[in-house]
Amino acid sequence: MRSEIAEGLRFVLGQPVLRRVAMVGALTMTSFGLWSATVPLYLVREVGVSPGAYGTLLSAGAAGGVCGAWLGPRAVARMGTGRAMYASALAATLFIPPLAFTGGGARLLIFPAALAASGVATTVFAVAQGTYRQSICPPHLLGRLSATMRFLMWGPTPIGGLLAGTLGQLAGVRVAFWAACGAYALAHVPILLAPGIRRVR
């Protein structure tokens, strides 16, 4: 088992683009830990949204994800894998920050609009990077690749929750919510800074 784990790690860490994708995943899931702990408190307690309305607002992200799942393969086929990864990472970086301006009244509409747009972008990125991962991986390593990427990308999620609790306790829910939005926006920067990413096919 240890040798198989090591083989999966060597393959992922030995591929420059996969290293960047793993970094994006780790930062995204850390941000998700922050996000999932602070968003309900911010919207329900600070903004005054009812629980039912909160669930409705949150569904915008799922709708964006469905659209992204439809768009993802088409974007990869039309643009190429690298360009699709870069464009979707850039879109996610641009669409997420407006969430921090969510407030009462008309400003509440910012939340579903930005969440849906970022849902499209992050899902297209997931499709593009998943396509790249499977295309460069030898068939006998696919299981180890998937397990390694899952561990590296999803493992930090509890850290985000811990950060959210600490930050919320020290600085308040509003600051924790802004930090979650900022962390989400910056999560895709490693791909934007990857040399030659748009030439990857």
Side-chain angles (χ1 to χ4, degrees):
M1 178 70 74
R2 282 196 294 269
S3 65
E4 292 181 351
I5 292 172
E7 192 173 13
L9 283 169
R10 278 197 302 271
F11 183 79
V12 170
L13 299 179
Q15 295 283 339
V17 175
L18 286 186
R19 285 201 305 269
R20 299 272 181 160
V21 169
M23 288 172 62
V24 169
L27 292 171
T28 297
M29 295 313 296
T30 302
S31 304
F32 179 75
L34 267 166
W35 175 265
S36 59
T38 56
V39 167
L41 293 174
Y42 178 74
L43 289 180
V44 175
R45 289 188 181 180
E46 300 289 322
V47 180
V49 172
S50 69
Y54 168 74
T56 303
L57 291 170
L58 209 62
S59 67
V66 171
C67 293
W70 177 86
L71 181 62
R74 290 160 177 81
V76 171
R78 184 175 181 84
M79 304 170 65
T81 308
R83 288 180 183 274
M85 279 197 285
Y86 182 88
S88 56
L90 179 61
T93 303
L94 295 175
F95 290 148
I96 291 173
L99 288 165
F101 297 98
T102 299
R107 286 170 52 202
L108 189 60
L109 297 176
I110 296 173
F111 188 86
L115 194 63
S118 61
V120 173
T122 54
T123 306
V124 171
F125 179 81
V127 171
Q129 62 91 4
T131 300
Y132 178 76
R133 280 162 47 182
Q134 294 191 41
S135 68
I136 67 166
C137 183
H140 71 283
L141 282 179
L142 279 172
R144 272 159 277 186
L145 169 65
S146 297
T148 302
M149 292 297 283
R150 284 282 181 176
F151 173 75
L152 294 176
M153 296 168 78
W154 289 73
T157 306
I159 298 174
L162 181 62
L163 289 173
T166 303
L167 191 57
Q169 185 71 29
L170 295 176
V173 172
R174 187 179 297 269
V175 172
F177 173 71
W178 288 341
C181 294
Y184 246 139
L186 296 174
H188 291 79
V189 168
I191 282 293
L192 298 179
L193 298 179
I197 186 66
R198 283 173 283 186
R199 296 192 298 272
V200 169
R201 290 190 175 274

